[in-house]
Amino acid sequence: MRRLLLALPFALLPMAMAHAAEVEHASLGAHEHGVARLDVALDGRSLEFELDSPSMNIVGFEHDASTGEDKATVAKARELLLKSQALFNLPLAAKCAVTTQKLQSPLFGDTPEADNDHDDDNHAPDNGEASEEHHHSEIHAHYVFVCDAPSELKRLDLSQIFKTFPGTHKIQVQLIAPNGQYGTEATPDNATLKF
């Protein structure tokens, strides 16, 4: 019985770690203007990026693009997000070619996921004015590359993201690479990470 009791914490460890990961993911998923999240995984020749950002960081607003100027801004941002090779500043020596690019956002005409966190969202404001208090628009980008020379991926330079989208002030990065897994924060002044 004593051995069973001593083994119990180790048996429960995977569940505790999974719960901690969910809590961490939820806390990093909070909508904060100026802050984006980037998950990067390098596995063999496959290099994958998942970028999540408030649309405020990318286009400068979160409302639906109704004016010609807003629509042009959204179209330009979409075009820049699809230039993934330049956006992630991948070294030419790594010989990476994009195989998948997918962008999602209500601004691009995608249907937003149901938000069950705000029970009051369906109620009209008392003063008769339209409320945008709970209206948060996100942009999600997913990229997959195949790299013929992945050993040439020694650093990840995110400076082009900061230059292209100056509303982005920091990026919370989770990186999984052959040398291990770690989390860090990139800023315009500290935009280079080691693989």
Side-chain angles (χ1 to χ4, degrees), residues 6 20 31 33 42 58 69 74 80-81 90 93 108-109 114 116 133 173 184 193:
L6 289 173
H31 185 93
H33 294 172
L42 176 60
I58 306 293
E69 184 178 344
V74 168
L80 292 169
L81 286 165
L90 298 174
F108 301 146
N116 297 325
E133 184 176 356
V173 181
T184 190
L193 313 172

Side-chain angles (χ1 to χ4, degrees), residues 11 24 38 45 49-50 57 75 78 82 88 118-120 129 131 140 145 150 152 161 169-170 173 195:
E24 178 184 357
L38 179 66
R45 294 180 50 223
F49 295 91
E50 293 241 5
N57 302 353
R78 184 177 176 83
L82 289 173
F88 293 108
H118 303 290
D119 293 334
D120 297 330
E129 296 178 16
S131 172
H140 175 78
F145 293 85
E152 295 296 324
I161 294 175
H169 303 294
K170 69 179 153 179
V173 181
F195 267 105

Side-chain angles (χ1 to χ4, degrees), residues 35-157:
V35 179
R37 177 187 168 116
L38 179 66
D39 295 328
V40 183
L42 176 60
D43 183 21
R45 294 180 50 223
S46 178
L47 176 62
E48 192 167 347
F49 295 91
E50 293 241 5
L51 176 66
D52 290 302
S53 176
S55 60
M56 179 66 78
N57 302 353
I58 306 293
V59 297
F61 57 86
E62 293 189 324
H63 58 269
D64 292 335
S66 56
T67 68
E69 184 178 344
D70 285 353
K71 289 177 183 178
T73 299
V74 168
K76 182 65 175 173
R78 184 177 176 83
E79 177 185 322
L80 292 169
L81 286 165
L82 289 173
K83 293 182 178 182
S84 52
Q85 187 80 26
L87 192 63
F88 293 108
N89 212 4
L90 298 174
L92 294 176
K95 299 178 184 172
C96 297
V98 68
T99 60
T100 303
Q101 295 188 115
K102 185 175 182 183
L103 303 178
Q104 290 180 299
S105 174
L107 293 178
F108 301 146
D110 298 320
T111 305
E113 293 180 16
D115 182 5
N116 297 325
D117 295 338
H118 303 290
D119 293 334
D120 297 330
D121 286 353
N122 295 328
H123 300 293
D126 293 342
N127 62 6
E129 296 178 16
S131 172
E132 302 226 0
E133 184 176 356
H134 296 293
H135 181 72
H136 295 295
S137 178
E138 301 276 334
I139 293 176
H140 175 78
H142 180 222
Y143 308 93
V144 179
F145 293 85
V146 172
C147 302
D148 289 337
S151 61
E152 295 296 324
L153 294 168
K154 299 185 186 335
R155 289 179 282 126
L156 178 61
D157 181 0

Side-chain angles (χ1 to χ4, degrees), residues 149-193:
S151 61
E152 295 296 324
L153 294 168
K154 299 185 186 335
R155 289 179 282 126
L156 178 61
D157 181 0
L158 301 177
S159 61
Q160 195 58 42
I161 294 175
F162 293 109
K163 290 175 188 170
T164 304
F165 305 112
T168 303
H169 303 294
K170 69 179 153 179
I171 302 172
Q172 296 171 336
V173 181
Q174 293 293 319
L175 180 73
I176 300 172
N179 293 333
Q181 174 180 337
Y182 69 95
T184 190
E185 193 171 272
T187 63
D189 295 331
N190 186 21
T192 303
L193 313 172

